[in-house]
Each structure stands twice: as C-alpha cells, then as structure tokens.
Amino acid sequence: MTTLTGGTVLKTRRAVAGVIVATGLMLPATAEAQTCTWQRTDFTVPEPHYNVEVFGIGGDYAVGTAITDGTRIVRWHNGQGTVLEPPAEGDFVWPVSVSANGTVVAKQSARGYVTKLDGTHQFLGTGDGETAEPMSINGHGDVAGYVHGNGQSKNVVWSGSDYSKYEVYSMTNVGVAGIDDTNALVTTNGVKYRSPKVGWPLQKAHGYKDVVVEEFDHGIAVGWTHKNGSRMALVWNDNSSLRVTIPSAVAYSANTRGTIIGSAGDGSPRLWRAGGMGVLPSPAPLYYATFVTEDDRLVGTYKDSNDDGHAAAWSCS
C-alpha cells in the first residue's frame, strides 16, 4: 500500500512533501515527478448551448450536459460535441456515463435508457412495479445500476447485447460505483462482485470503519473514508487491497499509473501524480466533474471568469 501525505488541513493551507511507502522503504517524491506543463484542448458545443458539465468518459467519448431551453445531453467524440435528442419531446433527461463504443446511458424520470451511436434509444428492462436507476456503463455497453420495487432493491447488470432484462448481482439498498470491462462490479459502500451474488469487502484503512466509493473502472476503485470529522482518500487495487491513502482528502478518479484527482479537506481541487502532489491546470478542473484517463490525461469541466462551465481535455508534458 502506498501512503501519500500532503495538502490542506481544515482551512489552513500548508504544503507537505509527498512520500512513497512501499515494502517498508520510505522515499521522498521527486520534484520531477510532480512538475507538469498542462496543454488544454476545449471541446466543442453546438450553439446556442452553453454552461457545460461532464458526467462520464469512455475511450474517445465523453458525455455531459449543456443548457439551452432546459438541460440537454451532449456526447463528445474526440472533443466534437453532438446534442442528443431525448426519447420523447419534452422529457427531462440526465446523463450517467458513456461507453468506449459511444453508447450513452441516461435517466428519464424513473426509467433508465441507452442511446446508441445511430441515435436510437432503448429503455432498460424492469419487472412490474419496478423503477430503474442506472449508475455505470463499461466498454462493452453493459449497464450496472439498481432496480427498486415491491419492497426490494437489487444491484443489477443489463447486458449490452440485450437491455430488455437484467441479472441480479446482490440484494441491497446501496448503489453501484461502477462496472469494468471484466464485468466486476463495486458498490458505493465498498463491496466488490466479480460475479452475481459472490462479493467481498474492499480493504479498509486501519482504524476506519465505513467507506464511500466514488468510481470504479479498469480494476481501480477510488473513494474515501472518514472519522471524527476528518476524511481520508482511498484507492484500491484490482485485488481489493488498499493501494493509496491520502489524509485530509477525497479521491474521485484515478488510473493504474497512480494519477489521482480529488479534493483537499477544505474542498479545493487536488491532483496527485507519481507519489506526490501534482500541479493542477489553471483554471483548475472541477474535481467532481473530471476524470483521469488511462493514458494520463484529464477530461472534464472547468469554469471561466463568468462561472460558465466548459468541457476540455488536458495533457501533461
């Protein structure tokens, strides 16, 4: 397990050198590991849409919202935005995420649905009296979420080959943090399922009881725990062991290279790279609406001086 220390405690800003702890050996994080010059590429949004927020990424795709005559869903491919029509005129819709094959999963009232590349929609199948809450989609287009009805809540997966029915992973009243391309599923309270009804808890930090998982993808789960009013960011390995802990922080997205985006104890955005505190782009992306890609880019949202949201990708050189 790696332990990073650094950042802000409460509302007092103080810089602390990052350290790597591995097999009992403590090494200082190098300055080179933390230095970065960010290059930002803004995403396009068809006019007159504005005030964008990114909700998810998958491969070369991203999905989010924009405003004009209400909230609309935007799907980007390599930064080029397309506004998606709702399943029915006047429907209030909200995106969840997008797969690497461009399938968008979204919500419409108490129903979940997918929008494919050709613009066609398909609602996620439920039983009589059940409502669907999709939470995540993997690279194959499989959707994970939960259904509720008849006094029961179930974490389920709708297969990308047939969205009309679902497979039950667990009977529970907690949500899904994500599903990866191996069809492993992690719940928001830190239980990992590699197959239906077979799960075990993610490792907890010593002295901490509960966890909140914010995201799970490519085998990496990220989130946080808390005790006595203080939070600690957590990143887990594919085998459910703890990989990283960061005091006085919350983690929202991470990749297998060790890049993590999240927030400090005062809610300000933070980036950790190569075992130490990283340098954020300016203006800084919104940590709760930005994702770390496997090729070490950031894809997400930033605000301009007028407080309007914009979608962008940042690469580091």
PDB file of all heavy atoms in Angstrom, residues 14-15 23 33 92 112 127 136 164 200 222 249 306 313:
ATOM      1  N   ARG A  14      -1.255  24.456   3.818  1.00  0.00           N
ATOM      2  CA  ARG A  14       0.137  24.173   4.119  1.00  0.00           C
ATOM      3  C   ARG A  14       0.615  23.085   3.184  1.00  0.00           C
ATOM      4  O   ARG A  14      -0.077  22.110   2.934  1.00  0.00           O
ATOM      5  CB  ARG A  14       0.331  23.745   5.574  1.00  0.00           C
ATOM      6  CG  ARG A  14      -0.384  22.456   5.958  1.00  0.00           C
ATOM      7  CD  ARG A  14      -0.184  22.184   7.449  1.00  0.00           C
ATOM      8  NE  ARG A  14      -0.832  20.941   7.837  1.00  0.00           N
ATOM      9  CZ  ARG A  14      -0.245  19.755   7.778  1.00  0.00           C
ATOM     10  NH1 ARG A  14       0.985  19.662   7.344  1.00  0.00           N
ATOM     11  NH2 ARG A  14      -0.885  18.669   8.160  1.00  0.00           N
ATOM     12  N   ALA A  15       1.804  23.255   2.639  1.00  0.00           N
ATOM     13  CA  ALA A  15       2.381  22.270   1.730  1.00  0.00           C
ATOM     14  C   ALA A  15       3.194  21.286   2.545  1.00  0.00           C
ATOM     15  O   ALA A  15       3.968  21.664   3.419  1.00  0.00           O
ATOM     16  CB  ALA A  15       3.283  22.954   0.704  1.00  0.00           C
ATOM     17  N   THR A  23       6.879  -1.612   0.782  1.00  0.00           N
ATOM     18  CA  THR A  23       7.662  -2.689   1.397  1.00  0.00           C
ATOM     19  C   THR A  23       8.606  -2.156   2.464  1.00  0.00           C
ATOM     20  O   THR A  23       9.760  -2.558   2.559  1.00  0.00           O
ATOM     21  CB  THR A  23       8.472  -3.458   0.322  1.00  0.00           C
ATOM     22  OG1 THR A  23       9.407  -2.553  -0.314  1.00  0.00           O
ATOM     23  CG2 THR A  23       7.566  -4.052  -0.715  1.00  0.00           C
ATOM     24  N   ALA A  33       8.808  14.283 -10.612  1.00  0.00           N
ATOM     25  CA  ALA A  33       7.561  13.520 -10.657  1.00  0.00           C
ATOM     26  C   ALA A  33       6.351  14.434 -10.516  1.00  0.00           C
ATOM     27  O   ALA A  33       5.262  14.087 -10.936  1.00  0.00           O
ATOM     28  CB  ALA A  33       7.547  12.474  -9.554  1.00  0.00           C
ATOM     29  N   PHE A  92     -37.569  15.274 -19.442  1.00  0.00           N
ATOM     30  CA  PHE A  92     -36.403  15.703 -18.680  1.00  0.00           C
ATOM     31  C   PHE A  92     -35.451  14.517 -18.578  1.00  0.00           C
ATOM     32  O   PHE A  92     -35.817  13.457 -18.067  1.00  0.00           O
ATOM     33  CB  PHE A  92     -36.799  16.175 -17.288  1.00  0.00           C
ATOM     34  CG  PHE A  92     -35.611  16.550 -16.439  1.00  0.00           C
ATOM     35  CD1 PHE A  92     -34.975  17.772 -16.611  1.00  0.00           C
ATOM     36  CD2 PHE A  92     -35.126  15.674 -15.486  1.00  0.00           C
ATOM     37  CE1 PHE A  92     -33.880  18.122 -15.837  1.00  0.00           C
ATOM     38  CE2 PHE A  92     -34.032  16.015 -14.706  1.00  0.00           C
ATOM     39  CZ  PHE A  92     -33.412  17.243 -14.884  1.00  0.00           C
ATOM     40  N   GLY A 112     -34.425   4.132 -16.843  1.00  0.00           N
ATOM     41  CA  GLY A 112     -33.102   4.262 -17.428  1.00  0.00           C
ATOM     42  C   GLY A 112     -33.148   3.872 -18.885  1.00  0.00           C
ATOM     43  O   GLY A 112     -33.966   3.040 -19.294  1.00  0.00           O
ATOM     44  N   GLY A 127     -39.011  -5.272 -14.069  1.00  0.00           N
ATOM     45  CA  GLY A 127     -40.203  -6.041 -13.783  1.00  0.00           C
ATOM     46  C   GLY A 127     -41.385  -5.136 -13.467  1.00  0.00           C
ATOM     47  O   GLY A 127     -41.236  -3.910 -13.351  1.00  0.00           O
ATOM     48  N   SER A 136     -23.666   3.125 -14.118  1.00  0.00           N
ATOM     49  CA  SER A 136     -22.360   2.971 -14.758  1.00  0.00           C
ATOM     50  C   SER A 136     -22.523   2.147 -16.020  1.00  0.00           C
ATOM     51  O   SER A 136     -23.477   1.372 -16.161  1.00  0.00           O
ATOM     52  CB  SER A 136     -21.390   2.283 -13.783  1.00  0.00           C
ATOM     53  OG  SER A 136     -20.125   2.082 -14.363  1.00  0.00           O
ATOM     54  N   SER A 164     -33.253  -5.565 -22.454  1.00  0.00           N
ATOM     55  CA  SER A 164     -34.630  -5.789 -22.036  1.00  0.00           C
ATOM     56  C   SER A 164     -34.726  -6.515 -20.700  1.00  0.00           C
ATOM     57  O   SER A 164     -35.780  -6.529 -20.068  1.00  0.00           O
ATOM     58  CB  SER A 164     -35.391  -6.591 -23.099  1.00  0.00           C
ATOM     59  OG  SER A 164     -34.851  -7.913 -23.215  1.00  0.00           O
ATOM     60  N   TRP A 200     -17.104  -9.545  -1.835  1.00  0.00           N
ATOM     61  CA  TRP A 200     -16.331  -9.401  -0.603  1.00  0.00           C
ATOM     62  C   TRP A 200     -15.956  -7.925  -0.459  1.00  0.00           C
ATOM     63  O   TRP A 200     -15.876  -7.183  -1.450  1.00  0.00           O
ATOM     64  CB  TRP A 200     -15.079 -10.283  -0.627  1.00  0.00           C
ATOM     65  CG  TRP A 200     -14.147 -10.005  -1.761  1.00  0.00           C
ATOM     66  CD1 TRP A 200     -13.113  -9.118  -1.791  1.00  0.00           C
ATOM     67  CD2 TRP A 200     -14.195 -10.599  -3.060  1.00  0.00           C
ATOM     68  NE1 TRP A 200     -12.493  -9.134  -3.011  1.00  0.00           N
ATOM     69  CE2 TRP A 200     -13.146 -10.033  -3.810  1.00  0.00           C
ATOM     70  CE3 TRP A 200     -15.005 -11.567  -3.658  1.00  0.00           C
ATOM     71  CZ2 TRP A 200     -12.900 -10.394  -5.130  1.00  0.00           C
ATOM     72  CZ3 TRP A 200     -14.769 -11.924  -4.963  1.00  0.00           C
ATOM     73  CH2 TRP A 200     -13.718 -11.338  -5.689  1.00  0.00           C
ATOM     74  N   VAL A 222     -11.885   4.049  -6.348  1.00  0.00           N
ATOM     75  CA  VAL A 222     -11.430   5.245  -5.641  1.00  0.00           C
ATOM     76  C   VAL A 222     -12.562   5.776  -4.787  1.00  0.00           C
ATOM     77  O   VAL A 222     -13.741   5.638  -5.121  1.00  0.00           O
ATOM     78  CB  VAL A 222     -10.939   6.345  -6.611  1.00  0.00           C
ATOM     79  CG1 VAL A 222      -9.764   5.875  -7.422  1.00  0.00           C
ATOM     80  CG2 VAL A 222     -12.066   6.808  -7.533  1.00  0.00           C
ATOM     81  N   ALA A 249      -8.278  14.268   2.599  1.00  0.00           N
ATOM     82  CA  ALA A 249      -8.567  14.374   1.167  1.00  0.00           C
ATOM     83  C   ALA A 249      -9.686  13.420   0.786  1.00  0.00           C
ATOM     84  O   ALA A 249     -10.059  12.517   1.546  1.00  0.00           O
ATOM     85  CB  ALA A 249      -7.311  14.067   0.348  1.00  0.00           C
ATOM     86  N   ASN A 306     -16.776  34.002 -15.957  1.00  0.00           N
ATOM     87  CA  ASN A 306     -18.204  34.276 -15.821  1.00  0.00           C
ATOM     88  C   ASN A 306     -18.951  33.136 -15.151  1.00  0.00           C
ATOM     89  O   ASN A 306     -20.180  33.127 -15.104  1.00  0.00           O
ATOM     90  CB  ASN A 306     -18.821  34.537 -17.200  1.00  0.00           C
ATOM     91  CG  ASN A 306     -18.270  35.779 -17.852  1.00  0.00           C
ATOM     92  OD1 ASN A 306     -18.077  36.803 -17.186  1.00  0.00           O
ATOM     93  ND2 ASN A 306     -18.003  35.706 -19.146  1.00  0.00           N
ATOM     94  N   ALA A 313     -10.065  18.594 -22.402  1.00  0.00           N
ATOM     95  CA  ALA A 313      -9.089  17.551 -22.081  1.00  0.00           C
ATOM     96  C   ALA A 313      -7.749  18.229 -21.837  1.00  0.00           C
ATOM     97  O   ALA A 313      -7.395  19.181 -22.535  1.00  0.00           O
ATOM     98  CB  ALA A 313      -8.984  16.540 -23.217  1.00  0.00           C
TER      99      ALA A 313
END
